[in-house]
Amino acid sequence: MPEGDTVWNTARALHRALSGGRLTATDFRVPQLAGTDLVGWTVRDVVSRGKHILLRLADPTNAQRLTLHSHLRMDGAWRVYPPGARWAARPAHLIRLVLRTTDAIAVGYHLHEVALAPTAREDELVGRLGPDLLGPDWDPTEAVRRLAAHPDTSIAEALLDQSSLAGVGNLYKSEVLFLRGVHPWTPVNAVPNLPSVVALAQRLLAANRGRWVQSTTGSLHRGQTTYVYGRRGQPCRRCGMLVEKAEQDERVTYWCPRCQPAPDRTH
Ligand SMILES: [Zn+2]
């Protein structure tokens, strides 16, 4: 599951490659937009909202504004290539979208929820999103309020709910809870300091903005970038206890049973 910082980085890479450019060719390989032709349109900007990517376009007369929406989910990716590069290295059947300008080729692989809508209504494309951890309008108080509105939900599940706060995936969820010493199945209303959990999630994502290696430990060395995420059966970096893992659908959680003791269930 791509985390908010990966989506933010992707949007920035697309923005740098395409914004200000005029589309010279477009190829929509998704049934709902088959035959769509945006040649002549200008890319105004590309932004992320939580895990959604919004590519904003203006028509040749600058009278009409459209937003092209895509979502990476588990397996999607955008790649940018210089003109003339051998970009079709990955299987062609995974390609959903190709956008060309004179300066760059942007290829979207395995994208989800590809949609086009008037920019004035782009909010409808992203659904009900909570405050964006990496957005210009980040509002920690509102994020805490929305989380607290689900008092009986486990904190691990609550942090993934993009309608409470947008941007946290399995990696940051696991790492934040480890660093705060909170067991993943603690109900939200029993988490000792919810504002500090939210603040730390934002700091960790923001620290990794602008680079593709995600580190919560401060180390960028392979195998040393996380405390618990991806480390099942390995010793906790703090106490030596073996890290545990639980999996449910696309959700996966890692934790240290000693540093993150289970909440008291006797009450
Ligand atoms: Zn530990």
Side-chain angles (χ1 to χ4, degrees):
M1 187 188 296
E3 312 277 336
D5 57 340
T6 302
V7 181
W8 190 94
N9 287 343
T10 299
R12 188 175 70 160
L14 287 170
H15 180 81
R16 285 180 170 172
L18 299 176
S19 66
R22 187 167 286 231
L23 295 172
T24 56
T26 62
D27 184 359
F28 286 81
R29 303 185 190 178
V30 288
Q32 67 272 26
L33 291 174
T36 302
D37 183 356
L38 296 175
V39 169
W41 287 61
T42 300
V43 179
R44 292 169 51 226
D45 64 347
V46 187
V47 298
S48 61
R49 286 283 174 273
K51 298 181 185 176
H52 304 255
I53 293 172
L54 302 175
L55 193 147
R56 296 175 178 143
L57 299 149
D59 81 334
T61 63
N62 205 24
Q64 202 185 347
R65 302 284 169 95
L66 289 178
T67 296
L68 177 59
H69 171 270
S70 59
H71 196 286
L72 305 180
R73 284 211 204 139
M74 295 286 282
D75 48 359
W78 277 99
R79 295 280 181 269
V80 174
Y81 304 94
R86 281 170 47 85
W87 51 269
R90 290 173 68 175
H93 72 270
L94 293 180
I95 296 174
R96 299 287 178 270
L97 247 172
V98 183
L99 304 175
R100 290 168 182 269
T101 65
T102 48
D103 300 324
I105 305 166
V107 183
Y109 299 91
H110 223 291
L111 302 175
H112 302 269
E113 302 170 38
V114 178
L116 204 52
T119 297
R121 286 170 43 209
E122 70 181 18
D123 284 354
E124 295 168 23
L125 295 171
V126 301
R128 207 170 61 91
L129 280 186
D132 185 343
L133 287 135
L134 297 179
D137 51 353
W138 167 236
D139 181 349
T141 308
E142 176 63 12
V144 169
R145 193 191 67 76
R146 290 185 183 212
L147 282 173
H150 306 279
D152 301 325
T153 306
S154 74
I155 185 65
E157 200 181 327
L159 286 173
L160 294 182
D161 182 349
Q162 305 294 303
S163 68
S164 288
L165 71 176
V168 173
N170 290 318
L171 186 150
Y172 290 106
K173 169 193 72 180
S174 299
E175 295 293 291
V176 165
L177 295 179
F178 171 80
L179 287 165
R180 283 286 166 262
V182 176
H183 190 275
W185 279 268
T186 309
V188 167
N189 65 1
V191 172
N193 190 342
L194 205 50
S196 83
V197 170
V198 167
L200 181 60
Q202 198 278 336
R203 281 206 304 279
L204 291 178
L205 259 91
N208 286 307
R209 189 166 44 185
R211 65 179 181 222
W212 295 99
V213 178
Q214 294 168 319
S215 172
T216 55
T217 58
S219 171
L220 296 178
H221 293 289
R222 196 182 178 84
Q224 294 171 28
T225 53
T226 61
Y227 288 101
V228 289
Y229 185 81
R231 301 191 64 242
R232 173 166 62 173
Q234 296 178 48
C236 171
R237 297 192 196 282
R238 283 194 174 156
C239 75
M241 225 18 203
L242 300 186
V243 170
E244 295 192 12
K245 174 189 179 184
E247 208 164 351
Q248 187 190 10
D249 304 324
E250 292 187 353
R251 287 172 291 186
V252 55
T253 303
Y254 296 85
W255 75 100
C256 169
R258 187 179 288 158
C259 295
Q260 298 163 264
D264 188 349
R265 294 177 188 276
T266 56
H267 298 292

